[in-house]
């Protein structure tokens, strides 16, 4: 099962990569994807959920929001960098999270890191160490909106 | 008139085959080892001897083995001079073999296999030198001779022996290198290295170049011929066992050097060229110096073998002097002296060996009254010594006579005097030994009859007797006299 | 450098990335004809994916997927494909490495095309295996005695 | 003169790079530094080769697959140096690999990778 | 349009030059890693821009993608090194 | 060939090369070597050598630097020069 | 379309510039990391989108977007790993109060 | 010693720079390297090997033997590393 | 059999792929495979030599592409001669390597064989190829293999190998750069093609620089005097089979390339008349001879002595090239063969001595002739060949070199050659003296006493046979050197000298 899922995803990727749609290249793709999927399916799908469909859709819905957040924060950081006084107040904040699954934890952590002004330094037993560049971004983070949205994706809310 | 014959090759190989069997027999089967030594030596002598008639018919036996280089063969050519040396060396090997068996057994030496092996190889090389048809072949066997005699020189394996071996190597290899250079240069000049009676270097190269070439040749061969500034190795090498000194340092090795010198003088440069370049008298003066000085050196030596060594140096230079004078009689005498000196000197060395085996004495001063204990030995010694001093009817007289004649023919009175002085010196350093052994008494020596073992005694006596016979009838057996005359004819045109 | 990376972020992400990288490596090998890339580059990318696996998941994970023995076999096998194709051409009457003589029922040019593909695959396999083995050897010296 | 400089500058830069690497290889005492120099050296040579292949106003050496026009060689960069340099890069990587393996062995043996210290250690061991 | 991409790539080149200061002068290892990482990301863009300049972007995408995928391996390795060895 | 980029990149490469051999910390030198390889890759792409650049990209980013880092890891970071 | 893509690329370039300046100006390693890793992310993303737009809808554009995805995946990971390493090495973040006492990574 | 090395390097560099004088100008389309052997590769690659990527076709076909050597180099390197290092890990 | 030029390369190559595979299951099978592969290869090389003699040069197009575009194998007398030397000596060394390998590297024998085969492949590939770049590739195969093989030797081998790696890489890179310089002005990589294009460009600085780069690069690879610094360490500490192979074959292959480049790719007119390279080569070679031999005299370590002697012998060969006349080159080529045989025999003998005695100190070799009579006999023959005693082969090459020097009217080389002969004698007779005529030194720590040593304690047959074969070959080559010259070497000398 996990083999098949991996295989299908990889094959989509292959078709997008390969510009050739003749039988020869497609069958090459089948062989290659099968090889890779055989080698790595246990690795990839270690802790993936059963209801993948919903999660993917939710994740895709989550992306625009994330991009929006990134743009907002980015402007802020650009301002910080370019303003002559450089009004930064770096700090480390700790966030206790309710997320459980690895993937959710990672998504949240990477979202934090992607959002300018905050970097996940470490995760230890459900506590995030986040380095924040200024008070504004840390408050945004502490408001918990992002965590809720991530939790929503992975149905942990 | 060249006959293609495998005999020269066989004669050369015989020693190697013998050596192979010696190695095979090893230390375990002493009798087989020694038997094969003798067998090989006899076979070799017979082979060489069988070629003598051809030479007298005026024919040359030729055998081309392989091409060493384009236009340069490893070739054997048995001409008069070659057969002369070959017969001498192969005959002396027989008696030396018998002698060495006695000597080695008598002293219970170590590493006898190596000894006999190297001996056989050295004789093989000597034969190769004798029959070499060109300079390169000669040189190849010359170097093999050097290498195979080295283990014999260091046979005793003491620090002193090793030192002597080193000295021997340094001298001879340097000589070899010089010869190599000369050969290469000759090849460069002429494109050929084959011996031609009367020389082949005329009209090749300028005068200076040829002079240089001659000097390097003589320096190269002169090392083994122990011409005076280059003689240092010979007395040192006397540390070797007596048979080694006897055969190799009195006959094979040094004679190979002389042989090389003569080949160069007579067959490479040739009398005409040497006259043209005025090199002959340079060489003659050079060796005259050696003759006189070595005689004087010999006088002051206390060690019997070293005294003999200096006597050898003396005799060798006399031979070269004969060749250098380039007059028919001188050449004849010089060449004859190769054989005569060989027999006489080997007698003397055998005597020294016999004395050493019996009494372990090496010093001249210790030999007082020995004649009573070892009459045969001292008798032979007397024969050898008288021969060297040129007293008739021993063979040394004949050669010296012709040498003197040659000096007169060449209108060089100086060299006549040199020869006479050398004879006197010879007498001066040998006769006291004889005198003392006969008439002086010593506490250490037991005056009862106590000769050396027969294996030692017999060869010694044979050598002494042959010396006398050759003195009475120089043309006996293998016609050494006739050969020497022929060589003179062939080369002096 | 052999143990598992302790950060969950890294392990998880690498887990997701590795198959993609591997597939990309294969893509590069297979499409060397019409776009840049080829056996060596693809092989290196494949090797890099395993190196990434070592870094993120530790040595044991890799040993499970690519044992030393398998690795050695791959090392030789890739080159054998290459040299073997050459020998095959030799047997079928061409010169060594003359793919035009391979017994494939297509035109000579296409036979060469396929021959090139074959050797690219061989090169890729060897390069991957060797890169893994070099990295493992270098980074595991003295750690598993 | 200016024209001369302009027409050759690429070659000169490669020489400069190569000399940097060369200097590091023969003059640095740290073995790792030598290896780094070696990489720079080899890369400089590769740069030189690639510079040979460049043609003005030419594109990368991948020809269009289904074009019906005749292919003109002048429109494409010379591919041969690229091929050679692919091999050279591979050789470079392989050499680095072996060199690093050696380096690790040296470190295991001598506990240092400074050449002079190793020499001193070996002299002490020999004396 | 080629000119625009050229200018864009020149601008990024200049940015790389600025980043170079960080990468070379440091201070320290981590800043260098950071600088190199940043340059790596910029490289991806320059590669693509060059593809547009040459007009053959389909050939250059692959290289960029390699960088996008593999660029962080070295960083990870170095970071892992630092996790073990405390002294800098 | 794009000579404007060419000039800039050549300059970078030289600076980077000098930096890589003059840094005392070996790990930094290795990192700079990785940077050097990036720049080389860019340079070669710019000269039209796509395949070479591809190789350098994969080697520089995937294997070379990592190997060096592993080697430094196994040996030492300190260097006298 | 071309104009839009040029505009987007220019914006992206602006963010890249801001990030670079931040990289140069910020006082310590962690803050620089914000500037470098993050401003870049958006800048790169915008540049890529601009180029994809310019290229039009084709497989190439999809590949370009793939590049963006990969950068989004790898960039935070790399940043995180460095940050973690720096933290584990005991580098304390700079803060306004104790300017002198910071240790550089 | 350093100085000596520097001199050595300078001499080597000097010689190399000296020789650039006679090189064809950079990026010259009519340089010998561009007109002698390589044109055939570009013009004939599709016809002879059906491979649009000239580098690949040259690498794997025209000069395929070089590539065999190249792969052997890699193989050698791998085996060398195993030979040098793996004994340690096996014990 | 028309494919034999490629078969001599790919048979060892493919076998080397199989070695690790087989070694995983059965270690014992590796050795026969290696020996078999090298045996076939050497037989084929003989066959090739034969057909070169009967039918002239052989051309082989790899991949079926005609020369300037594809890679071509072009085997003429010079090539074939070298191929025979390389394959035969490596075959003998492979036979030898079994027992010594078992002792020196017991647990790594499989990969040792694999790399050994790769080394031979590289060397053979360098020899037969007719393409400049292909040569570089095989050069690197051989070099990498050599680095690793040296490094698995004893204690000091690591640094030796590392230095070799650095120097060798510089050398190879110079070579590569030279190829590039030729390519930039000619656009070709094929040797034959180059030799036709180049004469018009002889006044170009690029070509001259390329030539200088080749010479320097190859001099580094072969260990010519000022660039020899890697050589003694590497040869001393490498496993004995490896140092035998490296010293006897690998340096010769570099020499071969030098000859090939000087006289085939460039023509003799260029190499001799236009630039003073021959003079420089002969001066360096002369210094190398003296330096190497003087250094060899002071070495207490047998293998180190041999290594320095190698430096000197490389000097001989290069001197012959530097003389650049027929005789000199004949001597040079003959010395390539002779030194390959001789040094092989000497290193293998030294390995055998180490195998039994566990020491390489020359002073502790006492009574070796009783313990290992055959080995010492072979060693002695080889030593005599080194010194240049006829009828061993070393004499003849020296003779030709002297002739060459005389022909060139350069007396200083004559003197140096003659002197070097004596210097050789000094250090080889030191060994012989110690082995034959000196009792076991008191320093010797092992538990031998005089009574025990009288027993022969010869090395195993597998090690002995190659040594004896080489010794026999030394004498045979010496005796038949005229034949060799008239059938092979005189045709191998490039035209126009």
């Amino acid at each position: 099962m996990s083999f098949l899922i991996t295989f299908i995803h990889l094959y989509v990727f292959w078709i997008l990569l390969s510009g050739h749609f003749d039988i020869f290249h497609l069958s090459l793709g089948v062989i290659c994807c099968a090889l890779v999927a055989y080698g790595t399916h246990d690795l990839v799908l270690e802790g993936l959920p059963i209801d993948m469909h919903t999660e993917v859709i939710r994740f895709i819905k989550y992306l625009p929001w994330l991009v929006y957040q990134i743009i907002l924060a980015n402007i802020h950081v650009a301002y910080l960098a370019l303003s002559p006084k450089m009004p930064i107040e770096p700090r480390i904040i700790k966030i206790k999270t309710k997320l459980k699954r690895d993937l959710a934890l990672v998504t949240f952590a990477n979202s934090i890191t992607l959002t300018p002004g905050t970097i996940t330094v470490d995760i230890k037993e459900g506590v995030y160490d986040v380095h924040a560049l200024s008070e504004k971004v840390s408050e945004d983070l502490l408001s918990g909106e992002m965590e809720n949205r991530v939790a929503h994706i992975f149905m942990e809310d | 008139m060249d006959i293609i014959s495998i005999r020269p090759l066989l004669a050369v190989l015989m020693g190697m085959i013998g050596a192979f069997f010696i190695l095979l027999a090893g230390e375990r089967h002493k009798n087989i080892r020694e038997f094969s030594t003798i067998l090989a030596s006899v076979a070799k002598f017979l082979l060489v001897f069988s070629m003598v008639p051809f030479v007298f018919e005026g024919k040359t036996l030729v055998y081309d083995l392989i091409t060493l280089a384009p236009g340069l063969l490893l070739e054997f050519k048995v001409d008069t001079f070659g057969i002369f040396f070959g017969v001498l060396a192969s005959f002396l090997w027989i008696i030396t073999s018998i002698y060495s068996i006695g000597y080695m057994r008598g002293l219970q030496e170590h590493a006898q296999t190596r000894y006999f092996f190297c001996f056989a190889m050295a004789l093989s090389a000597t034969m190769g030198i004798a029959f070499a048809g060109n300079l390169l072949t000669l040189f190849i066997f010359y170097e093999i001779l050097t290498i195979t005699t080295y283990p014999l020189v260091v046979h005793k394996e003491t620090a002193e022996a090793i030192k002597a071996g080193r000295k021997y190597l340094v001298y001879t290899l340097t000589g070899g290198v010089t010869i190599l250079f000369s050969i290469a240069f000759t090849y460069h000049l002429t494109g050929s290295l084959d011996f031609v009676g009367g020389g082949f270097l005329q009209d090749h190269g300028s005068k200076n170049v040829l002079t240089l070439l001659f000097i390097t040749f003589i320096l190269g061969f002169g090392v083994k011929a122990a011409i005076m500034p280059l003689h240092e190795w010979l007395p040192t090498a006397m540390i070797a066992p007596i048979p080694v000194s006897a055969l190799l340092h009195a006959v094979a090795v040094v004679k190979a050097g002389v042989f090389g010198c003569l080949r160069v003088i007579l067959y490479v440069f040739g009398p005409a060229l040497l006259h043209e370049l005025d090199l002959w008298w340079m060489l003659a003066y050079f060796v005259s110096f050696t003759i006189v000085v070595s005689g004087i050196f010999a006088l002051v030596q206390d060690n019997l073998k070293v005294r003999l060594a200096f006597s050898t140096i003396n005799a060798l230079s006399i031979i070269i002097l004969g060749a250098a004078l380039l007059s028919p009689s001188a050449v004849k005498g010089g060449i004859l002296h190769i054989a005569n000196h060989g027999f006489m000197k080997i007698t003397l060395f055998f005597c020294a060996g016999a004395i050493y085996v019996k009494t372990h004495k090496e010093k001249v001063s210790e030999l007082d009254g020995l004649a009573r204990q070892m009459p045969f030995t001292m008798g032979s010694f007397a024969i050898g010594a008288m021969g060297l001093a040129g007293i008739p009817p021993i063979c040394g007289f004949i050669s010296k006579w012709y040498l003197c004649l040659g000096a007169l023919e060449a209108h060089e009175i100086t060299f006549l005097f040199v020869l006479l002085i050398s004879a006197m010196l010879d007498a001066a350093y040998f006769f006291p030994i004889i005198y003392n052994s006969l008439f002086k008494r010593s506490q250490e020596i037991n005056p009862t009859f106590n000769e050396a073992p027969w294996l030692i005694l017999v060869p010694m006596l044979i050598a002494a007797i042959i010396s006398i016979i050759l003195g009475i009838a120089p043309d006996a057996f293998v016609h050494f006299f006739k050969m020497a005359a022929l060589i003179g004819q062939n080369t002096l045109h | 450098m052999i143990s598992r990376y302790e950060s969950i972020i890294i392990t998880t992400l690498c887990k997701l990335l590795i198959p993609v990288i591997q597939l990309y490596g294969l893509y590069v090998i297979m499409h060397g004809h019409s776009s840049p890339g080829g056996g060596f580059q693809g092989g290196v990318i494949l090797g890099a994916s395993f190196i990434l696996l070592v870094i993120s998941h530790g040595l044991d994970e890799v040993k499970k997927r690519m044992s030393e023995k398998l690795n050695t076999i791959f090392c030789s096998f890739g080159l054998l494909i290459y040299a073997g194709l050459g020998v095959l051409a030799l047997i079928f009457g061409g010169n060594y490495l003359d793919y035009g003589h391979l017994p494939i029922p297509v035109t000579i040019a296409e036979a060469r095309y396929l021959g090139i593909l074959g050797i690219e695959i061989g090169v890729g396999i060897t390069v991957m295996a060797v890169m893994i083995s070099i990295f493992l050897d270098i980074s595991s010296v003295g750690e598993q005695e | 003169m200016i024209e001369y400089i302009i027409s050759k500058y690429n070659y000169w830069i490669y020489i400069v790079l190569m000399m940097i690497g060369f200097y590091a290889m023969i003059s640095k005492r740290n073995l790792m530094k030598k290896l780094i120099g070696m990489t720079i050296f080899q890369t400089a040579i590769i740069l030189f080769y690639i510079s040979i292949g460049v043609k003005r106003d030419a594109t990368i050496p991948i020809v269009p697959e289904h074009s019906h026009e005749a292919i003109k060689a002048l429109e494409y960069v010379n591919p041969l140096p690229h091929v050679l340099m692919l091999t050279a890069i591979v050789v470079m990587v392989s050499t680095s690999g072996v060199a690093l393996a050696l380096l690790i062995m040296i470190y295991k043996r001598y506990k240092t990778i400074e050449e002079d210290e190793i020499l001193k250690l070996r002299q002490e061991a020999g004396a | 349009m080629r000119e625009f991409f050229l200018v864009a790539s020149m601008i990024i080149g200049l940015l790389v030059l600025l980043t170079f200061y960080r990468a070379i002068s440091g201070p320290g290892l981590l800043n260098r890693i950071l600088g190199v990482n940043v340059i790596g990301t910029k490289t991806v863009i320059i590669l693509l821009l060059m593809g547009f300049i040459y007009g053959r972007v389909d050939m250059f995408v692959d290289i960029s993608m390699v960088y996008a995928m593999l660029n962080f391996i070295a960083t990870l390795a170095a970071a892992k090194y630092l996790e073990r060895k405390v002294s800098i | 060939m794009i000579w404007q980029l060419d000039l800039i990149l050549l300059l970078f490469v030289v600076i980077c090369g000098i930096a890589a051999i003059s840094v005392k910390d070996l790990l930094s030198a290795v990192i700079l070597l990785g940077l050097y390889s990036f720049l080389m890759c860019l340079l070669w792409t710019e000269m039209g050598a796509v395949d070479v650049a591809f190789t350098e990209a994969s080697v520089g980013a995937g294997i070379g630097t990592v190997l060096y880092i592993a080697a430094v890891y196994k040996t030492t970071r300190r260097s006298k020069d | 379309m071309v104009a839009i893509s040029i505009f987007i690329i220019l914006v992206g370039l602006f963010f890249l510039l801001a990030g670079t300046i931040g990289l140069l100006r910020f006082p310590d390693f962690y803050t620089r990391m914000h500037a470098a890793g993050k401003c870049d992310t958006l800048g790169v993303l915008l540049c890529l989108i601009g180029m994809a737009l310019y290229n039009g809808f084709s497989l190439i554009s999809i590949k370009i977007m793939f590049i963006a995805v990969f950068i989004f995946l790898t960039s935070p990971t790399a940043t995180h790993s460095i940050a973690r390493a720096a933290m584990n090495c005991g580098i304390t973040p700079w803060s306004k109060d104790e300017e002198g006492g910071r240790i550089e990574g | 010693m350093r100085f000596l090395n520097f001199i050595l390097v300078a001499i080597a560099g000097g010689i190399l720079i000296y020789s650039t004088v006679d090189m064809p100008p950079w990026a010259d389309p009519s340089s010998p390297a561009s007109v002698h052997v390589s044109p055939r590769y570009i013009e004939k690659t599709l016809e002879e090997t059906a491979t649009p990527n000239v580098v690949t076709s040259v690498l794997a076909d025209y000069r395929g033997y070089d590539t065999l050597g190249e792969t052997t180099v890699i193989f050698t390197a791998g085996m060398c590393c195993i030979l040098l290092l793996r004994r340690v890990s096996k014990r | 059999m028309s494919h034999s030029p490629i078969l001599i390369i790919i048979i060892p190559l493919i076998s080397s792929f199989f070695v690790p595979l087989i070694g995983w299951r059965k270690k014992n099978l590796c050795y026969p495979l290696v020996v078999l592969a090298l045996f076939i290869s050497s037989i084929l090389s003989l066959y090739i030599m034969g057909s070169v003699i009967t039918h002239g040069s052989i051309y082989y197009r790899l991949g079926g592409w005609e020369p300037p575009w594809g890679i071509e194998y072009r085997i003429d007398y010079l090539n074939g001669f070298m191929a025979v030397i390389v394959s035969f000596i490596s075959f003998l060394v492979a036979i030898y390597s079994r027992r010594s390998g078992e002792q020196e590297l017991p647990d790594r024998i499989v990969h040792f064989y694999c790399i050994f085969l790769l080394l031979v492949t590289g060397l053979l590939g360098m020899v037969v190829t007719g393409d400049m770049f292909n040569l570089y590739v095989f050069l690197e195969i051989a070099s990498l293999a050599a680095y690793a093989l040296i490094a698995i030797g004893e204690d000091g081998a690591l640094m030796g190998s590392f230095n070799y790696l650095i120097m060798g890489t510089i050398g190879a890179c110079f070579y590569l750069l030279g190829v590039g310089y030729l390519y930039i002005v000619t656009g070709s990589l094929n040797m034959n093609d180059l030799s036709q294009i180049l004469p018009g460009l002889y006044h170009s600085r690029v070509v001259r620089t390329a030539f200088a780069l080749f010479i320097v690069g190859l001099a580094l690879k072969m260990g010519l005097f000022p660039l020899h610094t890697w050589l003694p360490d590497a040869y001393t500490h490498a496993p004995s089979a490896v140092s035998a192979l490296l010293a006897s074959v690998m340096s010769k292959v570099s020499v071969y390339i030098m000859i090939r480049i000087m006289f085939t790719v460039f023509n003799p007119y260029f190499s001799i008349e236009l630039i003073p390279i021959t003079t420089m080569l002969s001066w360096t070679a002369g210094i190398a001879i003296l330096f190497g031999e003087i250094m060899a005299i002071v070495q207490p370590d047998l293998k180190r002595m041999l290594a320095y002697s190698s430096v000197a012998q490389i000097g001989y060969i290069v001197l012959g090239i530097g003389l650049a006349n027929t005789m000199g080159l004949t001597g040079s080529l003959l010395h390539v063969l002779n030194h390959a045989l001789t040094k092989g025999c000497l290193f293998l003998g030294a390995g055998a001595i180490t195998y039994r005695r566990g020491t390489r100190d020359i002073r502790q070799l006492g009574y070796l002739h009783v313990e290992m009579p055959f080995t010492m006999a072979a060693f002695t023959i080889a030593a005599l060949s080194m010194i240049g005693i006829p009828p061993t082969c070393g004499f003849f090459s020296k003779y030709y070199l002297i002739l060459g020097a005389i022909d060139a009217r350069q007396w200083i080389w004559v003197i140096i050659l003659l002197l070097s002969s004596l210097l050789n004698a000094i250090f080889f007779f030191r060994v012989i003296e110690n082995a034959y005529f000196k009792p076991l030194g008191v320093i010797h720590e092992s538990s031998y006493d005089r009574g025990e040593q009288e027993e022969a304690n010869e090395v195993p047959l597998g090690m002995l046979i190659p040594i004896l074969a080489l010794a026999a070959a030394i004498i045979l080559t010496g005796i038949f050197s005229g034949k060799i010259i008239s059938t092979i070497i005189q045709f191998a000398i490039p035209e126009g000298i």
Side-chain angles (χ1 to χ4, degrees), chain H residues 11-82:
Chain H
I11 290 172
I15 291 172
L16 292 177
I17 286 184
Y18 162 85
S19 68
T20 55
V21 173
D22 282 351
M23 283 185 185
W26 185 56
D28 181 11
S30 59
S31 68
S34 307
V35 294
H36 180 43
V37 171
S38 61
R40 176 187 157 144
Y41 295 138
I42 299 168
E43 284 160 10
K44 295 279 181 68
T45 174
L46 275 182
E47 184 186 319
E48 286 176 347
T49 63
T51 308
N53 188 346
V54 190
V55 175
T56 303
S57 73
V58 178
L59 183 82
D61 200 344
Y62 291 95
R63 299 183 68 86
Y65 191 60
D66 267 356
T67 311
L68 177 60
E70 168 207 308
T71 318
T72 314
V73 169
I74 300 184
F75 181 70
T76 314
M79 289 298 135
C80 289
C81 285
I82 294 176

Side-chain angles (χ1 to χ4, degrees), chain B residues 99 242 304 308 344 346-359 361 367 369-385 433-434 437-438 449-465:
Chain B
Y99 184 84
I242 298 283
L304 180 58
L308 289 176
M344 294 181 300
I346 212 163
T347 316
L348 290 174
F349 269 112
F350 284 174
C351 295
I355 293 166
Y356 182 70
V357 169
K358 214 63 228 168
T359 65
K361 287 193 178 12
L367 302 181
L370 202 64
R372 310 229 165 173
Q373 185 191 344
M374 309 171 80
F376 291 114
T377 309
M378 288 320 290
S380 313
F381 192 90
I383 291 169
I433 302 175
I434 301 168
S437 67
L438 270 176
F449 178 81
N450 188 8
E451 260 301 351
W454 66 271
L455 269 175
I456 292 180
L457 208 55
V458 171
M460 182 169 77
L461 287 176
I462 293 174
I465 290 165

Side-chain angles (χ1 to χ4, degrees), chain B residues 298-299 301-308 311 348 351-352 355 362-372 377-382 385 425-440 445:
Chain B
L299 270 178
Q301 300 300 329
D302 191 28
N303 188 315
L304 180 58
K305 281 170 79 180
V306 176
R307 190 174 282 198
L308 289 176
S311 151
L348 290 174
C351 295
I355 293 166
E362 284 183 323
K363 296 270 171 65
V364 173
S365 49
E366 295 168 347
L367 302 181
D368 300 350
L370 202 64
R372 310 229 165 173
T377 309
M378 288 320 290
S380 313
F381 192 90
L425 282 170
D426 279 339
Y429 55 74
F430 278 131
F431 284 170
I433 302 175
I434 301 168
Y435 178 84
N436 288 346
S437 67
L438 270 176
F439 301 115
K440 269 203 177 172
I445 285 173

Side-chain angles (χ1 to χ4, degrees), chain C residues 30-51:
Chain C
M30 300 300 172
H31 288 72
H33 296 75
S34 50
S35 57
F40 180 74
Q41 294 90 328
V44 170
I45 294 173
L46 282 175
S49 76
F50 277 91
I51 289 175

Side-chain angles (χ1 to χ4, degrees), chain G residues 85-101:
Chain G
M87 205 54 114
N88 282 359
C89 287
I91 297 169
T92 42
W94 177 89
S95 67
K96 273 207 163 153
D97 325 320
E98 25 152 15
E99 182 137 16

Side-chain angles (χ1 to χ4, degrees), chain C residues 27-69:
Chain C
Y27 158 78
V28 169
I29 294 178
M30 300 300 172
H31 288 72
H33 296 75
S34 50
S35 57
F40 180 74
Q41 294 90 328
V44 170
I45 294 173
L46 282 175
S49 76
F50 277 91
I51 289 175
L52 188 58
L53 193 61
V54 177
I55 291 173
S56 64
H57 283 71
L59 189 66
D60 297 335
E61 190 71 33
V62 176
K63 281 274 168 67
K64 253 196 301 190
R65 275 152 229 280
M66 178 72 82
S67 65
E68 263 181 24
K69 187 175 174 181

Side-chain angles (χ1 to χ4, degrees), chain B residues 66-69 139 166 185 188, chain I residues 395 400 407 411 433 479 482:
Chain B
I66 39 163
T67 315
L68 286 178
F139 178 69
R166 274 184 203 163
F185 201 73
H188 171 72
Chain I
F395 163 72
Y400 283 105
D407 275 353
W411 304 106
E433 208 172 68
I479 292 173

